[in-house]
Amino acid sequence: MSRAYQDVQVGEALPELSIPLTRTMIVATALASRDYQDVHHDPSLAAERGSKDVFMNILTSNGVVDRYVTQWAGPAAVVKKIKIRLGAPNYPGDTMVLTGSVTAKDDDGRRVEISVKGVNAIGPHVTGTVVVQLPEGSEA
């Protein structure tokens, strides 16, 4: 079931979501998004380029943020904007914990802005905002 616009409040917290960062996930999602940069699938070449291991690509980070917000908002939500910034790399064997909160509502268009942060053991991996359009109560 989708969240209705009028039922969402500024300051509302989204539930935490833990994402286990497996080597398979990091490599498979890089290849699925056609990001063939060796730092996302070849540990020895990633090390040659100064990284301790392969790491998640930005397209996967963007997709995980989208999934986090739309899982909370429901299937009738329409993502209007995602703006993210990357920080600490997501390495295999770690876990990224996503948190978020509603930071603004715009009655014109039933848009809700959500601030999102994904943190791993070495710090914030991704921070940003997502704007979704939510249905009215009768559509939810």
Side-chain angles (χ1 to χ4, degrees):
M1 187 155 114
S2 290
R3 297 186 58 85
Y5 176 78
Q6 65 269 20
D7 295 336
V8 174
Q9 303 300 318
V10 172
E12 179 178 342
L14 280 65
E16 277 189 3
L17 176 65
S18 293
I19 306 286
L21 304 171
T22 66
R23 182 172 305 279
T24 300
M25 177 203 190
I26 290 169
V27 172
T29 56
L31 295 176
S33 61
R34 297 184 178 199
D35 185 343
Y36 304 120
Q37 289 293 317
D38 48 35
V39 294
H40 302 305
H41 64 84
D42 188 319
S44 61
L45 288 174
E48 280 181 28
R49 286 163 178 63
S51 180
K52 75 174 196 173
D53 203 339
V54 296
F55 55 90
M56 184 178 281
N57 72 346
I58 191 169
L59 294 170
T60 302
S61 300
N62 197 72
V64 169
V65 166
D66 181 286
R67 174 230 171 160
Y68 174 60
V69 171
T70 57
Q71 182 176 330
W72 167 82
V78 177
V79 175
K80 294 296 188 175
K81 179 180 178 182
I82 297 178
K83 183 177 180 182
I84 63 170
R85 180 181 203 128
L86 294 184
N90 268 342
Y91 290 121
D94 203 347
T95 298
M96 179 174 63
V97 178
L98 288 156
T99 57
S101 64
V102 176
T103 52
K105 286 180 70 175
D106 179 3
D107 293 341
D108 193 28
R110 299 182 322 274
R111 291 179 186 219
V112 175
E113 181 182 86
I114 297 132
S115 175
V116 177
K117 182 186 277 189
V119 178
N120 60 37
I122 55 178
H125 167 70
V126 63
T127 55
T129 56
V130 179
V131 176
V132 293
Q133 182 178 43
L134 296 178
E136 292 182 36
S138 61
E139 298 173 36

